[in-house]
Amino acid sequence: MTTLVLAQSIGNQLLENTKRLITAARAFNEPIHVLILDTERQEVAAQAAKLAGVEQVRVAHYPEPDLVGFDEIANLALGLADDYKTIIAANTGSGKYVLPLLAARLEIPPLTGISHIGDDQSFERPVYAGSLIEQVKLNTDKTLLTIRPANFEAVGDQSTCSIEAVTHTPSNSRMEIIQQTSITSERPDLSDAKIVVAGGRGLGSKENFAQLEAFADMLGAALGASRIAVDMGWSPHITQVGQTGVQIAPDLYIALGISGAVQHIAGIKDAGKILAINKDPDAPIFKVADYGIIGDLFEFLPQFQNALTKND
Ligand SMILES: Cc1cc2nc3c(=O)[nH]c(=O)nc-3n(C[C@H](O)[C@H](O)[C@H](O)COP(=O)(O)OP(=O)(O)OC[C@H]3O[C@@H](n4cnc5c(N)ncnc54)[C@H](O)[C@@H]3O)c2cc1C
């Protein structure tokens, strides 16, 4: 049987997440198909068709793919489900909504938030804010999974595979996306960034967050924030790192004025190295940090920025 990957895209760009899902799909040693929503021009489908390990891209045409609701995508996947033993989606964005809907319609329990697929095809996922790793085996006819993209490498390109149009009749979807407003920035995407600079309550204000943003830009880093910083309105919701935010795996995570609550750590435990700056020597973040600076972040930040400017 075959594995189906539910791809994610924005506009005419395939998201990096999809490349990571292909790596996860390879663990099943089965042919891999990708389902993608695209316009008749098939620009996104062409990007997916180049990914190493993909044998076929199945494309459903919509005039405005970004505005197709989760209900409709789940129905689309349901129409194809008979062809597949395993269906996987990202544990981010639409995948979090579409896969459970599909699972309910197939009456099969989904397994969500997978961080590792074992050789025996058991699955691992962090639970209780990452304080436990649960190992699970499924005894179901089909395997329905959401995968944490940050835990898997992105695949590269290969020679192009075939693209097949899926005939579908748009259903009477019970949910419609009316409009999407772009709030993209020049900074790298939080879930893919190699360096993330994040601030917490210790920053003290939205104005101080602007200083942190300037520091992030000097390093070519993505901007992250603790939940409190987001709740205060200092940083947008999409920057929240942690259990209820984004789970990330940068090479370097720099945390300023973040205490290191268990719910925050749940989002950074796959980071390569963690540098924490905090004036409280007992802050829990120092228990997980590789490097720590005990001190006032407002003294540290300008010094670091000056040093970077001198080295330019
Ligand atoms: C169900 C649930 C889900 C949650 N999900 C998340 C989540 O996804 N992400 C998340 O982040 N939180 C989450 N939280 C909230 C979490 O429990 C913490 O409340 C939050 O992470 C704390 O944010 P903080 O570290 O910015 O603030 P604080 O805990 O208040 O820490 C601020 C730190 O800044 C330091 N500081 C202050 N001034 C300075 C200075 N001038 N220089 C240096 N250091 C300074 C202090 O010493 C302190 O350690 C969740 C909570 C619950 C209950």
Side-chain angles (χ1 to χ4, degrees):
M1 285 291 271
T2 307
T3 299
L4 181 67
V5 170
L6 306 185
Q8 286 183 329
S9 61
I10 296 180
N12 57 8
Q13 273 306 310
L14 185 72
L15 293 190
E16 177 84 4
N17 277 351
T18 303
K19 300 181 184 175
R20 295 171 185 266
L21 293 190
I22 305 297
T23 300
R26 284 173 145 186
F28 297 100
N29 297 316
E30 292 167 345
I32 300 170
H33 291 183
V34 172
L35 174 63
I36 199 139
L37 278 58
D38 202 354
T39 63
E40 298 274 353
R41 283 166 42 208
Q42 299 196 161
E43 285 168 293
V44 187
Q47 293 162 40
K50 279 197 274 178
L51 299 181
V54 176
E55 290 201 4
Q56 189 174 76
V57 172
R58 306 189 73 177
V59 57
H61 294 136
Y62 291 89
E64 290 189 274
D66 290 353
L67 299 188
V68 177
F70 308 138
D71 198 31
E72 168 71 9
I73 305 173
N75 277 339
L76 183 65
L78 184 66
L80 304 176
D82 279 351
D83 299 345
Y84 298 99
K85 166 97 173 58
T86 307
I87 301 179
I88 68 178
N91 196 52
T92 58
S94 62
K96 264 186 175 175
Y97 299 94
V98 170
L99 197 102
L101 271 175
L102 172 65
R105 286 167 200 179
L106 288 167
E107 297 187 15
I108 293 173
L111 201 50
T112 57
I114 298 305
S115 56
H116 178 75
I117 302 171
D119 291 340
D120 59 350
Q121 299 197 352
S122 65
F123 304 100
E124 283 180 13
R125 59 176 180 170
V127 291
Y128 299 111
S131 55
L132 282 179
I133 301 289
E134 187 172 75
Q135 193 177 12
V136 187
K137 198 151 178 83
L138 282 176
N139 302 312
T140 49
D141 296 339
K142 280 191 199 300
T143 302
L144 302 178
L145 306 173
T146 66
I147 303 278
R148 290 171 187 257
N151 290 94
F152 297 85
E153 294 290 319
V155 290
D157 286 349
Q158 62 172 19
S159 53
T160 301
C161 73
S162 67
I163 300 175
E164 179 207 78
V166 175
T167 43
H168 68 101
T169 319
S171 52
N172 282 332
S173 181
R174 289 166 294 176
M175 180 203 157
E176 272 178 68
I177 300 171
I178 301 164
Q179 169 183 328
Q180 283 184 331
T181 308
S182 172
I183 48 167
T184 51
S185 79
E186 297 294 304
R187 287 190 198 99
D189 186 58
L190 189 55
S191 50
D192 295 329
K194 300 262 177 249
I195 307 177
V196 174
V197 168
R201 197 203 298 260
L203 262 293
S205 71
K206 197 175 171 70
E207 291 67 40
N208 291 338
F209 241 85
Q211 198 183 341
L212 196 70
E213 288 175 28
F215 177 48
D217 290 342
M218 289 176 94
L219 291 172
L223 185 74
S226 73
R227 176 155 146 186
I228 287 188
V230 169
D231 288 349
M232 300 285 227
W234 301 342
S235 193
H237 180 66
I238 49 163
T239 62
Q240 184 179 317
V241 172
Q243 181 189 339
T244 43
V246 189
Q247 284 102 40
I248 57 174
D251 294 340
L252 176 63
Y253 184 70
I254 306 179
L256 297 100
I258 293 179
S259 61
V262 64
Q263 296 89 353
H264 187 82
I265 302 301
I268 59 167
K269 54 183 192 42
D270 294 315
K273 298 280 180 213
I274 297 173
L275 163 63
I277 299 111
N278 197 303
K279 65 181 183 185
D280 174 5
D282 296 324
I285 189 99
F286 288 128
K287 292 205 176 88
V288 295
D290 299 278
Y291 312 103
I293 297 175
I294 300 167
D296 189 334
L297 70 93
F298 296 108
E299 284 173 24
F300 162 80
L301 249 188
Q303 285 177 33
F304 209 161
Q305 284 172 305
N306 280 342
L308 286 171
T309 315
K310 276 188 200 141
N311 286 336
D312 267 354

